[in-house]
Amino acid sequence: MTMYSEYGIDSVWLCTTVFVFLSTYYYMKNRNKRKCLPPGPTGLPLVGYIPFMGNHPPRKYVELAKKYGPVFSVNIGSETYVILNDYESIQEALVKNGHAFSGRPQFYVLRRLTNGYGIIFRDFDEHFKEQRKFTLMTLRGFGVGKRSMEDRITEEIEYFTDLIASYNGKSFNCQTVLSTSVSNVICSIAMGSRFSYDDEVFKEMVQMLNRGFGDKRDAIHLALLTYAPGLRHFPILSGAFKRMINDIENVLAVFRDIIEEHRKTFDIDNTRDYIDEYLKQMELRGEEKSSFKEEQLLQTMRDFFLAGTETTSSTLRWCFLCFAHYPKIQEKVSKEVKQVIGSGVPSMSHKEAMPYTCAFIHEITRHRTLVPLSVPHITTEDVEFRGYKIPKGTPVLPNLYAVNHDPNVFKNPDDFKPERFIDDTGKFVPSNQVVPFSVGPRYCLGEQLAKMELFLFLTNIIQRFEIVPDPEKHLPSFHESIIGMAEAALPYEASFRQR
């Protein structure tokens, strides 16, 4: 007998009453919200449309757009989102009305992970603008887009290719070594040095930061907790939530030690890397009176590693999986590398003379949109948009997958065809409607770095190795993926045979 039955209250009746109350509250709350918003499906109480999204929400949104139009509303968890499903609506919102669409929803889970600091998930306030401007200027000063940055990447690639060669053609899963190598490029920028691939602290840090990309269960858990934070109270997801918090705390502890080591040798007149530049600003501006605080530095470093590592390494894993499935495509890239670069060291100066390789990379970023729903935005003010009055505080999702797979722009968009970006004269012609890094005031800070890394890693690998599937192990489809906040390739093994 329960406590409630002692007082004459039936537990089933109590649960039913609570459910009806919550359902009614949810319905009234969202009905009022949706009065001025574009039409769309509502879903169920508390979880919204999540149970109906299937295994690939961006594709589901494309289907819904056929019924409701390119801009519609949908309940996700307890919030009502506006979904942007074509290039025109995304440009109109994020570029032409960027001031009104550049906020970040302050989800409970993201607040717990970031404490309101960092750049990726920080709201669109003056502190964000100051930090973003400083970071862009500092990264440029340390060589992003310049020769010195290319040297850093090329140096790391040497370590990476030596490690691959040590497998002597045996198949292996390249996910960890790729993430570690790309992370070391970030280390060079942020910390002024690299880690050994055998460093246990470094390996653990990379694994913790990347759990939401390479593991299907963790990816789903992260997405569910982000969009429906109330689910963190359920037994399975509560454990996942605690693990996420623990991982971030452990990573930040490593960063604190690194910052402390920098302080011991810090010279305000001789800054060596991003950390030194940041410490310099903290000293000049005063930590109490400005946005330059140690917690901000810690969370920005987390942003560097989270966004700068897995985006590039996941895209490269898609490249290698594609080569394993389509040897003719691999051979075309290899042939171009031989003709243009030969046995020399690949550099960005070779890029213009390599149209097929450029088209291949462009098609990879279109076909396998890594962050298909971008990072959620939120309106910072009431805004008139497409005949609707979208109130301040409305979350917005740009469906980049829909843009990159628009059949009106890309014929047979589900087919992988690098040739679609090569004209009749053999010249590479990129499409403005391939938008893997988003657009507007919150476009990806690391876009230029990522493009440089993709070209240099890819050409170096293909120059030295042939990528072939292991005949004794299953090679997952190039068209299947792990869907969470990002779209990553399923785990696979392949052989890198020296040419």
Side-chain angles (χ1 to χ4, degrees), residues 113-332:
L113 293 177
T114 67
N115 292 323
Y117 292 98
I119 294 177
I120 295 176
F121 301 115
R122 185 159 187 158
D123 206 1
F124 196 64
D125 55 17
E126 291 305 313
H127 283 182
F128 162 81
K129 294 173 185 177
E130 183 177 43
Q131 291 295 317
R132 183 181 172 91
K133 181 179 179 181
F134 165 79
T135 298
L136 278 171
M137 292 177 63
T138 304
L139 291 180
R140 291 191 186 113
F142 280 107
V144 175
K146 299 180 182 178
R147 179 63 188 168
S148 60
M149 188 67 252
E150 184 173 336
D151 288 341
R152 296 172 193 238
I153 298 170
T154 301
E155 178 187 22
E156 189 57 43
I157 289 172
E158 284 296 318
Y159 289 102
F160 178 65
T161 52
D162 286 346
L163 180 60
I164 289 179
S166 70
Y167 282 89
N168 296 315
K170 295 179 181 178
S171 66
F172 69 104
N173 186 335
C174 66
Q175 178 179 347
T176 299
V177 293
L178 256 179
S179 294
T180 305
S181 184
V182 176
S183 287
N184 258 331
V185 175
I186 303 298
C187 289
S188 175
I189 299 168
M191 306 173 190
S193 61
R194 65 182 300 279
F195 285 90
S196 165
Y197 290 158
D198 295 327
D199 189 293
E200 292 299 325
V201 173
F202 182 49
K203 287 195 295 185
E204 180 62 21
M205 182 178 72
V206 171
Q207 289 173 3
M208 287 187 293
L209 284 167
N210 296 341
R211 285 197 217 278
F213 285 81
D215 183 272
K216 188 172 185 178
R217 184 186 63 178
D218 284 338
I220 293 172
H221 287 172
L222 177 59
L224 286 173
L225 288 167
T226 299
Y227 292 115
L231 296 177
R232 71 186 184 278
H233 300 298
F234 286 70
I236 295 177
L237 291 174
S238 65
F241 179 64
K242 290 175 182 177
R243 186 169 65 252
M244 287 178 199
I245 298 298
N246 186 62
D247 282 351
I248 290 297
E249 289 176 350
N250 288 336
V251 168
L252 294 182
V254 174
F255 291 160
R256 283 192 183 92
D257 290 342
I258 293 169
I259 291 171
E260 193 55 38
E261 286 300 315
H262 271 65
R263 279 198 169 104
K264 293 177 182 178
T265 55
F266 173 67
D267 180 356
I268 196 169
D269 297 318
N270 183 28
T271 54
R272 301 157 293 185
D273 48 42
Y274 184 87
I275 293 177
D276 274 0
E277 279 293 324
Y278 204 96
L279 292 175
K280 178 179 179 179
Q281 295 303 316
M282 287 171 60
E283 186 167 321
L284 292 175
R285 300 175 186 234
E287 194 171 353
E288 294 296 323
K289 299 179 180 179
S290 75
S291 67
F292 288 81
K293 306 177 186 301
E294 181 169 323
E295 183 69 17
Q296 175 65 29
L297 173 57
L298 287 167
Q299 294 292 348
T300 299
M301 289 175 66
R302 178 197 54 76
D303 283 348
F304 283 168
F305 280 86
L306 181 65
T309 295
E310 202 53 42
T311 50
T312 301
S313 61
S314 285
T315 303
L316 286 168
R317 285 202 301 128
W318 278 119
C319 291
F320 300 154
L321 181 60
C322 179
F323 287 153
H325 274 289
Y326 305 111
K328 290 183 179 179
I329 292 177
Q330 180 176 188
E331 185 55 34
K332 287 182 179 180

Side-chain angles (χ1 to χ4, degrees), residues 26 62 152 173 208 243 359 378 398 424 427 461-462 487-488:
Y26 173 85
V62 171
R152 296 172 193 238
N173 186 335
M208 287 187 293
R243 186 169 65 252
I378 197 170
D424 293 338
K427 183 181 178 181
I461 293 299
I462 288 301
E487 183 168 6

Side-chain angles (χ1 to χ4, degrees), residues 94 104 227 369 371-377 397-401 436-439 442 485:
L94 304 192
R104 282 283 190 254
Y227 292 115
T369 310
V371 189
L373 295 175
S374 187
V375 180
H377 290 236
L397 282 179
N399 190 353
L400 303 183
Y401 169 88
F437 300 98
S438 194
V439 292
R442 302 207 73 141
M485 298 295 287

Side-chain angles (χ1 to χ4, degrees), residues 17-35:
T17 302
V18 171
F19 179 78
V20 170
F21 171 79
L22 290 174
S23 299
T24 303
Y25 169 77
Y26 173 85
Y27 171 77
M28 295 300 294
K29 176 185 175 185
N30 282 285
R31 186 184 69 169
N32 293 332
K33 272 187 177 181
R34 295 179 69 120
K35 282 182 179 179

